[in-house]
Amino acid sequence: MIRRRDWFKYVFSSILGLLTVVGKPSIIAAQAVNKEAQKRNQARLLTQIGEKYLNEGRASEALESWKSATKIYRQLGYEEGITGSLINQNLALQALGLNRFACNTLLQALKLNTDTKICAILPQQSTESTTKLLIAEIDKQKDLPVNLFAWQNLGDVLRLIGKLDESKVVLAKTLSIVQKTSTVDTHELLLSLANTQEAIYKQARNKYYEVEEPDFKNEIVELIQQQALNSLEIYHQVNLVSANYPVTQLKSQLHHLSLLIDFDNFLTTELNLGNFKLVEIRNQIQQQIHPSINIILKNSSTFSQLSATQLVYTKLNFANSLSQIPDQQLRSLAIEYGQSALQTAKSTSNQRIKSYSLGTLGKLQPKKSEAYFLRALSLAQSIQAEDIAYQWQQQLGNLYNKQGRAKEADFSRDVGRGVWFANVIREPNSHKNDLYICWYCR
């Protein structure tokens, strides 16, 4: 028989036991939620570390960090995290010059079949069939910001591998969707479209120099003019819509200036060949160059808003543009920007941007060019950056040729061509992005 005192103890023990049994599922659920939160935080940390690595020029390490983040998001079944991490992997692959791999990674992010050969470079491939496929896939996708960002990145990569028509279709279609979606801004996407349009202009310009038939050349001149004017108009639109986004506006202004100078050089060459129909358009273009420079200089404080890597590339782009104008004051300013870019590059561990800075200064300062090119080449070789090493080999070859050092010139050019062909076999149409945007770095 249970005594009264023991009865209270028994009831209390029973209630405590019942609460423990009832509470177990809640405790387990709480532990699961806590574990999931820890994993998600770990993935976010890996994402941020990857961003830091990429900004430092450590693309391989960034790629591994983002692969680890992707793995965790897959374990969690978190679709947005998976897509965002794959987008980030694509950025690292681009930085490594592996644009086709980057393209296929984006197909994974968008859940597209990699067997469609969208990212393949096949001469017999139908552009029309590929663009129809891409439009159909865009229409099927949910209009989520991360998906739209993935499509923008795909449009950028398609441009880098030389599939310009497909790039334009993807970017234009995505832009039309974004313009109906108030949650997404259009400025960066419009800038991507402008860059593709500029690439189409340059493709037409290059084709012009490959043909000899006069009537055909005249047709191409008309096409080149139209493509250049279309691109300039889109950059103008970017400048308007990015009034509240000074970094995007600065990038657009720099591209706009570069295109004005390039187009002016083409028109001047044509005029020298007797094509006087282009006098008026050439005069219009020339009248825009100096005002364009003044706008950039007026907004030069925006440079300080860029990361170190972005700052170096942006200043080098501006320096290259300034150096092409026959004005001693602007050439001196170009050297200043080049030297400033080199100082910023030296403050980082990014050997690639140091090499670019040195090589650019070599082009800007002919009397010191050999020393700059040799240092740039040494740095490029130290990180096995064949895509830029061959440029400095070629520059050295041209320099030696001018100096009458024929054997050295031939050797340097042959080595440069060998490196270039090796890089083309590894990754055809390889280009480098000068700016990176990390998705889900938060």
Side-chain angles (χ1 to χ4, degrees):
M1 185 175 184
I2 302 174
R3 288 177 295 181
R4 187 178 182 84
R5 185 178 59 190
D6 294 332
W7 183 81
F8 280 115
K9 184 165 67 174
Y10 174 76
V11 171
F12 178 76
S13 299
S14 299
I15 293 171
L16 185 62
L18 181 63
L19 288 173
T20 302
V21 172
V22 171
K24 259 187 180 177
S26 300
I27 293 170
I28 293 170
Q31 289 174 339
V33 169
N34 187 47
K35 189 175 181 181
E36 182 177 330
Q38 287 177 343
K39 281 195 168 186
R40 189 171 292 201
N41 288 334
Q42 184 184 358
R44 286 176 176 171
L45 179 61
L46 285 165
T47 301
Q48 291 165 359
I49 291 171
E51 182 186 22
K52 177 177 177 290
Y53 282 150
L54 191 64
N55 284 332
E56 292 174 353
R58 298 158 66 182
S60 295
E61 290 154 289
L63 180 61
E64 292 306 312
S65 186
W66 284 331
K67 280 183 176 179
S68 297
T70 307
K71 185 177 179 180
I72 293 172
Y73 283 132
R74 287 193 194 281
Q75 291 171 355
L76 295 171
Y78 183 41
E79 291 299 325
E80 184 180 1
I82 295 168
T83 304
S85 290
L86 287 169
I87 294 172
N88 290 338
Q89 284 186 43
N90 129 77
L91 297 176
L93 288 165
Q94 285 184 53
L96 292 167
L98 302 173
N99 293 321
R100 283 187 296 171
F101 287 99
C103 187
N104 280 313
T105 300
L106 288 168
L107 296 189
Q108 291 179 49
L110 292 163
K111 297 180 177 60
L112 303 183
N113 186 353
T114 55
D115 293 334
T116 55
K117 307 299 182 185
I118 290 171
C119 301
I121 303 170
L122 303 171
Q124 70 274 20
Q125 190 176 17
S126 168
T127 296
E128 185 178 355
S129 63
T130 305
T131 53
K132 284 182 179 178
L133 171 65
L134 288 166
I135 290 172
E137 290 294 342
I138 295 173
D139 285 334
K140 286 195 298 186
Q141 293 267 337
K142 293 181 180 178
D143 298 342
L144 299 174
V146 69
N147 289 342
L148 294 170
F149 189 64
W151 281 112
Q152 179 186 339
N153 272 264
L154 182 60
D156 287 335
V157 171
L158 288 170
R159 177 177 67 249
L160 296 178
I161 62 176
K163 305 186 86 165
L164 302 183
D165 291 335
E166 292 89 338
S167 171
K168 185 174 181 178
V169 165
V170 167
L171 293 170
K173 177 68 175 177
T174 307
L175 179 63
S176 69
I177 294 171
V178 168
Q179 287 172 334
K180 301 171 188 175
T181 309
S182 59
T183 57
V184 180
D185 290 310
T186 62
H187 58 288
E188 283 287 346
L189 186 51
L190 194 59
L191 179 59
S192 289
L193 182 59
N195 291 343
T196 292
Q197 184 62 54
E198 181 181 2
I200 292 171
Y201 149 74
K202 289 183 176 178
Q203 183 185 64
R205 181 205 60 193
N206 292 340
K207 188 176 181 181
Y208 167 85
Y209 292 116
E210 294 171 3
V211 300
E212 296 181 3
E213 206 281 313
D215 290 338
F216 192 34
K217 286 180 83 79
N218 289 334
E219 290 179 17
I220 297 178
V221 168
E222 292 293 326
L223 177 64
I224 290 170
Q225 182 176 333
Q226 190 57 51
Q227 299 292 11
L229 293 176
N230 287 346
S231 186
L232 289 169
E233 175 56 30
I234 301 175
Y235 282 129
H236 177 66
Q237 291 176 34
V238 177
N239 197 50
L240 293 177
V241 302
S242 60
N244 296 324
Y245 303 93
V247 169
T248 302
Q249 196 171 57
L250 176 63
K251 287 189 281 184
S252 177
Q253 290 164 352
L254 288 166
H255 276 286
H256 186 265
L257 173 63
S258 175
L259 178 55
L260 284 172
I261 294 169
D262 190 278
F263 189 35
D264 175 54
N265 289 336
F266 171 79
L267 293 170
T268 300
T269 300
E270 275 297 292
L271 281 170
N272 291 337
L273 292 173
N275 190 349
F276 299 114
K277 294 179 182 178
L278 301 175
V279 170
E280 186 177 347
I281 183 67
R282 200 277 301 266
N283 290 339
Q284 291 175 10
I285 294 300
Q286 285 190 337
Q287 289 170 11
Q288 296 179 52
I289 291 176
H290 278 83
S292 182
I293 293 171
N294 292 334
I295 288 172
I296 294 169
L297 293 174
K298 184 179 178 181
N299 299 328
S300 60
S301 60
T302 306
F303 282 99
S304 64
Q305 298 182 33
L306 300 168
S307 69
T309 300
Q310 294 174 340
L311 180 61
V312 170
Y313 282 126
T314 305
K315 284 191 172 182
L316 293 178
N317 288 343
F318 190 34
N320 275 321
S321 292
L322 292 174
S323 69
Q324 295 179 58
I325 302 170
D327 182 302
Q328 188 55 47
Q329 187 175 355
L330 291 179
R331 285 195 66 84
S332 298
L333 187 61
I335 293 171
E336 286 181 28
Y337 270 89
Q339 290 172 337
S340 176
L342 178 59
Q343 290 306 311
T344 301
K346 285 180 176 179
S347 70
T348 74
S349 58
N350 190 331
Q351 303 304 316
R352 175 178 288 277
I353 60 175
K354 291 178 190 176
S355 179
Y356 265 123
S357 300
L358 289 164
T360 300
L361 283 168
K363 290 186 286 185
L364 295 175
Q365 297 179 272
K367 292 181 181 179
K368 302 178 181 178
S369 57
E370 183 176 1
Y372 276 126
F373 288 145
L374 287 170
R375 288 167 62 194
L377 176 61
S378 177
L379 277 177
Q381 291 173 332
S382 72
I383 57 172
Q384 298 180 322
E386 294 92 348
D387 58 305
I388 54 176
Y390 84 85
Q391 297 180 45
W392 311 139
Q393 288 279 13
Q394 291 287 352
Q395 291 286 349
L396 282 167
N398 295 337
L399 177 64
Y400 293 149
N401 188 56
K402 289 178 182 177
Q403 294 173 346
R405 298 156 66 180
K407 287 185 179 179
E408 291 169 284
D410 290 342
F411 174 77
S412 191
R413 284 171 175 168
D414 288 343
V415 171
R417 279 192 289 268
V419 171
W420 182 79
F421 279 120
N423 190 57
V424 167
I425 291 170
R426 172 173 170 261
E427 182 63 29
N429 296 301
S430 176
H431 300 275
K432 291 291 170 293
N433 266 357
D434 57 349
L435 301 172
Y436 304 100
I437 306 171
C438 177
W439 176 263
Y440 209 64
C441 285
R442 53 183 184 274

